[in-house]
Amino acid sequence: MSDNLLKAPVDSAATDKSSHRKMLRWQAPLLAVLVAGGVGGFAYFSQEASHASVPPAAPLAAVTVSNPLQRDVEARLGAIGQFSAINRVELRAQVGGTLSEIHFEDGQIVRKGDLLFVVDPRPYEIKLGQANAALESAQSRYSLATNQLERTQALLKTGNSTREIFDQRVSEQQAAQAAIDDAQSRIRDAQLDLEYTRVTAPFAGRIGARQVSVGGLIAGSRAATSPTTLLATLVSLDPIYLDFDMSEQDYLTFQRQRQKQAGPLDNKVEASLSDETSYGYQGALNFLDNTVNRSSGTIHARATFKNPDLFLAPGQFARVRIGLTAPAPALLVPDASVLADQSSHIVLTVSDKNVVVPKPVELGDLRGGLRVVRSGLAPTDRVIVDGIPTARPGSIVDPRVAPSKVAWNKTATE
């Protein structure tokens, strides 16, 4: 029995080892199948996840392109000017007194010589009468002195008078002549004062608002030795000045172009009012200042314009255009296609491979919404005229040719 007890554990351990080997024989293939399935599932799901994380390709930005417009244009300078009157005067009385008459309406167009104001003339008529009376008195004294001189001269020849009395008679005649001259001067002075009681227009133009009323006391002085009363202002309208300033760079361009011209200089200046798109006013440059302003870096210029219908008024602003050269071929692009790049300008173009390429350009003036390009572009360049915000330099775009350039060409020569 003891032997059996001793053998029992041995047989149990052997049995367990045998059972464990049997389990391993059927568990190993199952584990391999599970591992293979897990690896395959992980690969499948990893592949699906990778496909799901890749976004679809974004569509290319669509832009509209067109070749630059080719036109014959002249080189021009532009500026902003302001009209001013050629003649402007403050009407002031040269004699004092009570204002008795006003012969115009405020803002009226007056002609040269038209009567505007009348100062009460009666005090000056009295002064003129006194001067005439003094003249008559002086003439009477002169007549008496002349008769006495003639009698003294006759007595001197017969010895009945002395040389001293003759000299006295000559002196009395000269004094009487001086009194006549003085009286005549007083008459002219009184006549001038009387004339100045009537204030007339010194030239044709538009008169402003009256500054006085009938019955008011007017202070006047011909010599302007005392304050005088302002009656009104008068400005001429035809012709009229247009004043403007040129930058130093524009002045150099203007002067160099003048030096190139062999014939007479064409000083034509064109102007356009603030509510106009065309330059319908034609004038001539008649003044260029002799110094450049140090503070502003500009030089003052002035042109003269005819104003027969009196439509232009002093103080109005206008755009100024000065032609420099004869028309020559040039390229133009929409002004919206020109982008500022710090101190320079660029235009976005599309290459043969549909890549956005920025090109630095040198610009000219504006022609009816189109900008003159002096250099930097070729006639065959495809300029982006629409869709600029979506076009990044170096990116690939979907260029679409503009259906027609007529929409932005028709005002190119204005």
Side-chain angles (χ1 to χ4, degrees):
M1 186 169 105
S2 60
D3 293 336
N4 291 335
L5 291 173
L6 292 173
K7 291 180 181 180
V10 176
D11 293 340
S12 175
T15 304
D16 290 341
K17 290 180 180 180
S18 175
S19 299
H20 180 67
R21 283 195 297 269
K22 289 180 181 180
M23 289 179 65
L24 287 177
R25 280 198 296 268
W26 64 266
Q27 285 179 350
L30 179 60
L31 181 60
V33 171
L34 292 176
V35 171
V39 171
F42 176 76
Y44 173 77
F45 286 110
S46 298
Q47 184 177 6
E48 289 295 327
S50 63
H51 283 301
S53 63
V54 176
L60 298 178
V63 297
T64 304
V65 298
S66 180
N67 298 123
L69 176 65
Q70 301 182 60
R71 286 287 177 87
D72 289 339
V73 296
E74 61 180 2
R76 296 188 300 216
L77 295 179
I80 298 296
Q82 189 174 21
F83 289 103
S84 64
I86 293 180
N87 298 312
R88 184 183 187 279
V89 66
E90 292 183 344
L91 298 173
R92 295 179 180 271
Q94 299 194 61
V95 293
T98 303
L99 185 67
S100 59
E101 299 176 20
I102 297 178
H103 290 268
F104 68 91
E105 297 293 334
D106 294 351
Q108 178 183 334
I109 299 297
V110 298
R111 295 173 297 178
K112 182 178 180 180
D114 284 352
L115 180 63
L116 304 176
F117 298 94
V118 176
V119 179
D120 187 2
R122 290 175 295 178
Y124 301 98
E125 291 172 347
I126 295 173
K127 183 180 178 181
L128 178 59
Q130 292 172 343
N132 285 324
L135 176 62
E136 292 177 359
S137 176
Q139 288 174 339
S140 297
R141 289 196 301 271
Y142 178 81
S143 179
L144 176 60
T146 301
N147 292 334
Q148 290 179 345
L149 176 61
E150 290 175 354
R151 285 196 297 267
T152 302
Q153 190 174 11
L155 292 174
L156 183 62
K157 290 180 180 180
T158 61
N160 295 323
S161 181
T162 63
R163 186 71 184 179
E164 181 181 358
I165 296 175
F166 175 78
D167 292 342
Q168 184 179 356
R169 296 291 182 264
V170 171
S171 177
E172 289 174 353
Q173 185 193 44
Q174 291 176 345
Q177 181 61 51
I180 290 176
D181 294 339
D182 180 67
Q184 289 175 338
S185 297
R186 290 178 182 274
I187 288 174
R188 289 193 296 269
D189 184 72
Q191 288 175 338
L192 189 59
D193 283 344
L194 185 59
E195 180 183 342
Y196 282 154
T197 60
R198 298 167 61 87
V199 181
T200 58
F203 51 82
R206 188 185 300 277
I207 195 167
R210 69 190 73 180
Q211 303 298 312
V212 291
S213 300
V214 173
L217 186 61
I218 303 301
S221 172
R222 282 188 295 165
T225 56
S226 60
T228 57
T229 302
L230 174 64
L231 305 178
T233 58
L234 178 66
V235 296
S236 64
L237 296 177
D238 184 27
I240 192 169
Y241 284 149
L242 179 58
D243 299 279
F244 59 96
D245 294 328
M246 286 193 290
S247 66
E248 186 174 357
Q249 184 62 41
D250 286 346
Y251 172 69
L252 291 175
T253 303
F254 178 77
Q255 289 295 85
R256 295 189 188 282
Q257 190 58 41
R258 276 193 161 193
Q259 292 178 348
K260 295 178 182 178
Q261 297 181 4
L265 298 175
D266 184 10
N267 292 327
K268 183 176 70 173
V269 177
E270 298 174 321
S272 174
L273 301 181
S274 58
D275 63 342
E276 297 175 340
T277 57
S278 61
Y279 288 77
Y281 294 93
Q282 308 293 327
L285 185 70
N286 72 332
F287 171 75
L288 192 63
D289 210 346
N290 54 4
T291 57
V292 176
N293 190 304
R294 295 179 60 184
S295 59
S296 63
T298 60
I299 188 168
H300 183 68
R302 187 181 67 201
T304 305
F305 285 77
K306 293 182 178 180
N307 189 25
D309 57 356
L310 308 183
F311 182 76
L312 302 176
Q316 279 183 310
F317 287 92
R319 293 184 297 273
V320 184
R321 192 166 71 182
I322 306 174
L324 296 180
T325 62
L331 299 179
L332 300 97
V333 298
D335 192 47
S337 297
V338 180
L339 305 178
D341 183 20
Q342 295 183 356
S343 60
S344 60
H345 294 85
I346 62 172
V347 171
L348 297 182
T349 63
V350 178
S351 68
D352 295 339
K353 296 182 179 181
N354 297 338
V355 177
V356 177
V357 179
K359 289 195 172 184
V361 292
E362 182 182 354
L363 302 179
D365 59 334
L366 194 63
R367 305 294 176 97
L370 299 183
R371 180 68 65 175
V372 176
V373 179
R374 295 176 179 172
S375 63
L377 279 184
T380 57
D381 284 336
R382 297 190 296 173
V383 178
I384 299 178
V385 297
D386 192 16
I388 295 177
T390 62
R392 299 189 306 274
S395 64
I396 300 177
V397 294
D398 179 17
R400 300 171 184 178
V401 179
S404 173
K405 292 187 289 183
V406 174
W408 53 276
N409 287 354
K410 54 185 177 182
T411 58
T413 57
E414 293 182 357

